[in-house]
Structures are given as structure tokens and as C-alpha cells.
């Protein structure tokens, strides 16, 4: 038996019993201390914590049952063995209910004592290891710069760390065991944690949200990841929220957007003037051009137009990321679909294409920013016109399906390979082959589309085959429905 670092306290008014325990256990390496009654036993525990207590039930001053009650309250993880000469079943049951871990009848043999101690040594070591691990974990959590909050399955707060308390001005004693909505002044996190705690068994997922706090009077932006806690049986026992300070990234992103907007605007203005002059030359208003000159002017006009479009896309992207196009509101998609088709109708006619809109019944409203959603529709229809050969067909459909609005833009254009379809939504990615080399583009349109759709809680997908056209499908949650997480 490994008892070389075990501290045993014997609480018994009989000296022979105390000495018997010492004679049996000290040769095995255990350290044994003594007390003659329950009151002395409690004092001994306060001075020198024991791993295991052997306590007699019948003692003067304070008996074993009273000692057991107080010791359990003060030291919940203490291992206790009751020893008594009045070994009846009733007393054993009562002691076990009071919190005793085992029962030993007087007179006991050395072998019986060793067997009881051996059984409890593993428990003592496990509890000690758990206490050490708990202490390490708490020290780690307290040292984290990220805020941390843990709730139980009922949504009551069981743990917070200093970083979180600083960010929201919380006092630990005032939030522990309080319902989350009372403890944390942050509706976004309360709602997200509620969704985590409401998840079905076997379908547990992390959910994120964003919120703000304040540290030393300065506003901070926080990305919050809420994760379910599951026990060994797969049952939900609580949730963890980790608050990551993304203030520096938000400020850097704002500076980037400001820089991009400034540069794009400064580029677009003079280039628009150059484009106007090239159009004047192309119309031969200053005088006739020979074929070579006309070809060079047309190439220059196309290149300048491409740079202006790039500037426009960069400006749109910066505005969308900064949320500068408006606040979310109830949006009717039907007029936006008509406007997008009308805007591209003339370009389609120039290529002898058939462009039609087919809406199946009334569409439910969505919650969103109308200019951003219009940008999505215009980009998709514009791409369809651009990458569909002369005489082709483009069909825009919209319908209500499964508490969502499904919009599809289908064309009979060039199509995509599986490799191209996998990359088509990446920023600045453009399909480059023999058929597309003459098509001017920035590679930002579909990146903007995906960002806006995701921002509105929806998703976008493409179904395409080379030479057989493409279908882009946008799904947006109807008003009042829970957005899809991506």
C-alpha cells in the first residue's frame, strides 16, 4: 500500500485505539496524529489538514456524529471512517448518511484497518489530484486576458474570471448563482447562451455573437464564443462563454476601410474624366481616327472602365463592411428583384439575350439592408449577362420555401469546372481561360455577394457545369425566423 504521504487523524477517547492505529499505519509510511474528542479533532484539522480521519462515534465533549457533521461542512472532500464498539446496522446507516465513507467495528484487526485504508487511499489521491487540477484550471482561467463565464444547465452563473468582471463592471459575489439575464448586462450574449442551452442532445454546437464592454472607460468590442458543456453521458450540464477582445482588429479594419475608400475615390474621380475624353475620341468628335487608332482608343477605354469598376467595388466593399449602407429593417424583395432586372435589361438586349423574372407567389419579407441586398441581386444578374454568350437566356426566380426566401439566377453561359466553382467566391478570384480572357472584371463581385448574404443570416451556393451554364442560389431567412449560422 502506498501511504508514504498520507496524513491520518485518529479521533477517539480510547488511547489504546489511537495507539493501535499508529502501530499499524506508521510502518507503512503514513503520518498519524491524534485527538481525544470531536472538538479537539476539529481544532487539529484547522491546524494541520488530514487526508483521512478515523473517528469514534461515542466520545465525551463532542461525539462522532456531531464531529462528522461539522467536518463535512468545513472540509467537503475529507475521507472519514467511523469506528465504534457499538456496531449496529442503524448506527452504520446513520453515519453513512451523515457523510462517512466507511465503517470499522471495534475491536478491529490490523488487516481490517489496512483494507479500509487501502480502499480510501485511492479516493484520497483522486480527490487530491482533482483539487490540484481544479486549482490549476482556476488559476489559468483567472490569468486569461479573455473574459470567461460559465453557467449551469439552468442558466445560472457558476464562474466568472477577472477579465470578464473588469469588462462589464461585475462583482463576483453579486453574480454567482444568479440567472444570466440578471448577472450580465448584455442581451446578445444572454440570447446566444440561451440558444446553446436549448440545443438538442447529440446536436451540440458552438455559437458566436458580438457585443461591447468597457475597460477603464474605453469601449471594447468583444467576439463571444458560447460552447455547451456535456457530461460523460452526453447530457448538457451547462455552457461556457469566452469573450475575445477584437477592438484592435476592429480599429485596424476601420482604418483599412477608410484607406481603401479614400484611395478608390481618388482614383475614380480622375479616371472618370479620362474615360470621358476617351469616349469623345472614340466618337471621333475631334476628328476621324484610322482603324489602328480607333482600336487603341477602345482598348484604353476598356482598361480605364475596368479600373473604375474596381474602384467602385472597393468602395462598395468598404461601405458594406463598415455597415455604412443603413440599418436593418423589413425589406420587400419583390421590388428589388424588379429593379435589378430593369437595370441589366438594356445590357442583355445589346447581347440579344433573354432576361426574365419569375416570382412564385407573394414573397415573405426579410430583415436586412435594402441597398446591400440590391447590390447582391445586381451583381448576380450582371455576372449572368457578362458570362452568357450572345443570344443566351438568363432567368431570375424567387419563391418562399421552408421559412426562407430562395432566389436563383440561372444562365445558359460558359459554366464552371468543379475547381472553379470551389473558388468562385474568393476575393479577387476570376476564371481565366480562352473564353473569358476578353471579359473585364474585378474578382470582387461574388466576394461582396457572399459577405452580404452571410451578414443577413443566409447562404449562397452555385451549381454549374462547363458549357451548360450556372445557377446561383441565395437563401435568406424570412422575417421572424432564426438566421442560419455560418
Amino acid at each position: 500500500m502506498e501511504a508514504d504521504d498520507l496524513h491520518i487523524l485518529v479521533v477517539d477517547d480510547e488511547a489504546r485505539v489511537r495507539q493501535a492505529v499508529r502501530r499499524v499505519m506508521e510502518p507503512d509510511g503514513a503520518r498519524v496524529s491524534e485527538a481525544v474528542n470531536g472538538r479537539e479533532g476539529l481544532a487539529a484539522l484547522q491546524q494541520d489538514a488530514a487526508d483521512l480521519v478515523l473517528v469514534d462515534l461515542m466520545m465525551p465533549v463532542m461525539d462522532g456524529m456531531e464531529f462528522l457533521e461539522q467536518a463535512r461542512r468545513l472540509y467537503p472532500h475529507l475521507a472519514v471512517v467511523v469506528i465504534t464498539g457499538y456496531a449496529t446496522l442503524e448506527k452504520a446507516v446513520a453515519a453513512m448518511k451523515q457523510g462517512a465513507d466507511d465503517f470499522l467495528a471495534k475491536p478491529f484487526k490490523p488487516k481490517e484497518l489496512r483494507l479500509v485504508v487501502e480502499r480510501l487511499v485511492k479516493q484520497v489521491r483522486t480527490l487530491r489530484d482533482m483539487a490540484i487540477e481544479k486549482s490549476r484550471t482556476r488559476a489559468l482561467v483567472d490569468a486569461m486576458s479573455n473574459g470567461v463565464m460559465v453557467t449551469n444547465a439552468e442558466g445560472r452563473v457558476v464562474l466568472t474570471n477577472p477579465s470578464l468582471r473588469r469588462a462589464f463592471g461585475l462583482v463576483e459575489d453579486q453574480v454567482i448563482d444568479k440567472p444570466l439575464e440578471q448577472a450580465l448586462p448584455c442581451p446578445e450574449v444572454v440570447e446566444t447562451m440561451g440558444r446553446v442551452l436549448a440545443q438538442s442532445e447529440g446536436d451540440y454546437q458552438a455559437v458566436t455573437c458580438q457585443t461591447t464592454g468597457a475597460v477603464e472607460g474605453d469601449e471594447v468590442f468583444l467576439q463571444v464564443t458560447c460552447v455547451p458543456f456535456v457530461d460523460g453521458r452526453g447530457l448538457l450540464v451547462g455552457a461556457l462563454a469566452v469573450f475575445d477582445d477584437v477592438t484592435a482588429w476592429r480599429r485596424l479594419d476601420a482604418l483599412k476601410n477608410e484607406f481603401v475608400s479614400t484611395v478608390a475615390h481618388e482614383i475614380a474621380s480622375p479616371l472618370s474624366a479620362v474615360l470621358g475624353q476617351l469616349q469623345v475620341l472614340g466618337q471621333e468628335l475631334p476628328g476621324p481616327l484610322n482603324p489602328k487608332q480607333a482600336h487603341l482608343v477602345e482598348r484604353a477605354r476598356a482598361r480605364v472602365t475596368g479600373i473604375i469598376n474596381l474602384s467602385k467595388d472597393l468602395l462598395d466593399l468598404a461601405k458594406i463592411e463598415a455597415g455604412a449602407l443603413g440599418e436593418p429593417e423589413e425589406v420587400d424583395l419583390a421590388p428589388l428583384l424588379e429593379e435589378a432586372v430593369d437595370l441589366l435589361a438594356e445590357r442583355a438586349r445589346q447581347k440579344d439575350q433573354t432576361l426574365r423574372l419569375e416570382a412564385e407567389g407573394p414573397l415573405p419579407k426579410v430583415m436586412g439592408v435594402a441597398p446591400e441586398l440590391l447590390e447582391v441581386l445586381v451583381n448576380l444578374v450582371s455576372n449572368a449577362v457578362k458570362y452568357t454568350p450572345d443570344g443566351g437566356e438568363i432567368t431570375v426566380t424567387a419563391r418562399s420555401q421552408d421559412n426562407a426566401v430562395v432566389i436563383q439566377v440561372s444562365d445558359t453561359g460558359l459554366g464552371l469546372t468543379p475547381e472553379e466553382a470551389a473558388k468562385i467566391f474568393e476575393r479577387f478570384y476570376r476564371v481565366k481561360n480562352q473564353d473569358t480572357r476578353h471579359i473585364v472584371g474585378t474578382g470582387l463581385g461574388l466576394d461582396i455577394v457572399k459577405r452580404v448574404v452571410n451578414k443577413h443570416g443566409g447562404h449562397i451556393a452555385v451549381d454549374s457545369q462547363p458549357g451548360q451554364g450556372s445557377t446561383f442560389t441565395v437563401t435568406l431567412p424570412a422575417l421572424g425566423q432564426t438566421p442560419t449560422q455560418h
Side-chain angles (χ1 to χ4, degrees):
M1 180 184 67
E2 296 180 5
D4 53 308
D5 59 347
L6 188 68
H7 178 200
I8 299 175
L9 171 64
V10 185
V11 184
D12 197 306
D13 59 333
E14 295 185 54
R16 61 182 183 82
V17 174
R18 301 195 302 270
Q19 291 301 317
V21 174
R22 187 181 293 276
R23 285 195 301 270
V24 173
M25 299 309 304
E26 284 187 340
D28 291 330
R31 181 164 62 93
V32 180
S33 55
E34 304 175 16
V36 299
N37 57 55
R39 184 178 297 172
E40 286 191 12
L42 291 175
L45 286 176
Q46 291 178 345
Q47 293 178 1
D48 188 4
D51 301 307
L52 171 64
V53 175
L54 302 174
V55 57
D56 187 18
L57 285 180
M58 305 299 292
M59 295 182 294
V61 184
M62 179 186 289
D63 65 16
M65 295 298 284
E66 186 177 354
F67 168 86
L68 186 57
E69 179 183 358
Q70 295 194 33
R72 270 283 175 252
R73 186 173 63 252
L74 297 172
Y75 311 99
H77 302 300
L78 185 65
V80 179
V81 176
V82 171
I83 53 176
T84 181
Y86 301 91
T88 64
L89 179 61
E90 291 77 9
K91 287 187 178 292
V93 171
M96 291 297 185
K97 288 182 178 179
Q98 196 76 15
D101 297 287
D102 212 331
F103 196 86
L104 189 62
K106 295 180 183 178
F108 52 82
K109 297 179 181 180
K111 182 178 180 181
E112 294 172 338
L113 176 60
R114 285 194 175 94
L115 286 175
V116 170
V117 173
E118 282 178 355
R119 283 198 296 267
L120 291 181
V121 161
K122 292 182 179 179
Q123 176 181 321
V124 169
R125 294 188 186 281
T126 300
L127 291 174
R128 182 186 298 171
D129 291 343
M130 289 174 59
I132 292 173
E133 188 62 31
K134 181 178 179 181
S135 177
R136 289 173 178 168
T137 302
R138 187 57 191 259
L140 177 63
V141 170
D142 285 348
M144 289 176 63
S145 59
N146 305 76
V148 176
M149 174 174 281
V150 179
T151 72
N152 59 19
E154 289 72 41
R156 290 183 174 273
V157 177
V158 297
L159 183 147
T160 62
N161 75 338
S163 294
L164 180 76
R165 296 195 291 272
R166 283 195 300 271
F168 292 97
L170 305 178
V171 178
E172 186 171 24
D173 292 343
Q174 297 176 2
V175 298
I176 296 301
D177 201 38
K178 292 290 178 59
L180 186 59
E181 59 271 17
Q182 296 179 18
L184 188 67
C186 182
E188 302 91 345
V189 179
V190 172
E191 188 271 337
T192 304
M193 289 286 274
R195 286 163 53 196
V196 170
L197 292 171
Q199 289 178 354
S200 303
E201 182 179 349
D203 190 31
Y204 301 128
Q205 298 178 8
V207 184
T208 62
C209 66
Q210 292 187 340
T211 188
T212 57
V215 176
E216 298 179 355
D218 295 328
E219 184 181 41
V220 294
F221 296 93
L222 301 166
Q223 176 84 15
V224 187
T225 302
C226 303
V227 183
F229 266 140
V230 181
D231 65 12
R233 299 167 296 171
L235 299 179
L236 188 72
V237 295
L240 163 72
V242 179
F243 297 69
D244 186 20
D245 188 347
V246 295
T247 306
W249 293 107
R250 285 285 296 266
R251 290 172 179 167
L252 183 62
D253 198 48
L255 288 173
K256 179 206 70 176
N257 288 336
E258 183 179 353
F259 173 77
V260 169
S261 298
T262 302
V263 172
H265 184 269
E266 293 300 322
I267 290 175
S269 296
L271 285 180
S272 295
V274 172
L275 179 62
Q277 295 168 0
L278 290 172
Q279 289 173 338
V280 169
L281 288 174
Q283 295 168 1
E284 299 187 350
L285 295 179
L289 301 174
N290 61 44
K292 186 173 183 179
Q293 291 171 332
H295 175 68
L296 291 174
V297 168
E298 177 57 27
R299 287 188 61 184
R301 187 197 64 78
R303 295 298 181 186
V304 171
T305 300
I307 298 175
I308 292 175
N309 288 338
L310 174 61
S311 301
K312 176 183 175 298
D313 284 346
L314 288 172
L315 282 170
D316 289 343
L317 187 60
K319 289 176 181 178
I320 289 169
E321 290 183 341
L325 293 181
E327 293 296 324
E329 59 184 359
E330 294 184 13
V331 177
D332 185 356
L333 290 172
L336 297 185
L337 287 161
E338 294 175 0
E339 183 175 354
V341 170
D342 288 343
L343 286 172
L344 277 301
E346 178 59 31
R347 194 183 303 176
R349 277 194 295 270
Q350 292 174 1
K351 298 183 67 175
D352 196 27
Q353 296 170 339
T354 300
L355 173 58
R356 57 178 175 268
L357 170 63
E358 299 175 354
E360 301 176 9
L363 300 176
K365 292 184 178 181
V366 301
M367 180 61 70
V369 180
E372 293 183 1
L373 293 172
L374 178 60
E375 180 81 10
V376 167
L377 300 174
V378 170
N379 262 307
L380 292 176
V381 178
S382 174
N383 270 3
V385 172
K386 188 185 302 182
Y387 289 95
T388 298
D390 294 0
E393 295 183 2
I394 297 115
T395 304
V396 181
T397 63
R399 66 182 184 277
S400 175
Q401 177 180 310
D402 298 331
N403 297 319
V405 180
V406 179
I407 300 168
Q408 291 184 309
V409 179
S410 303
D411 61 58
T412 58
L414 302 175
L416 301 165
T417 66
E419 293 77 14
E420 292 166 343
K423 299 179 180 179
I424 197 67
F425 296 105
E426 294 178 5
R427 185 176 295 192
F428 295 114
Y429 178 79
R430 294 192 63 230
V431 176
K432 295 182 180 180
N433 55 42
Q434 188 70 15
D435 296 322
T436 62
R437 70 185 191 281
H438 63 283
I439 299 176
V440 178
T442 64
L444 285 174
L446 289 177
D447 174 67
I448 292 174
V449 166
K450 185 173 182 179
R451 286 171 179 267
V452 173
V453 171
N454 286 349
K455 177 182 175 182
H456 284 74
H459 58 89
I460 183 170
V462 59
D463 181 20
S464 183
Q465 294 292 330
Q468 299 180 23
S470 303
T471 297
F472 286 84
T473 302
V474 173
T475 304
L476 296 169
L479 189 65
Q481 300 302 315
T482 301
T484 303
Q485 295 300 316
H486 293 277

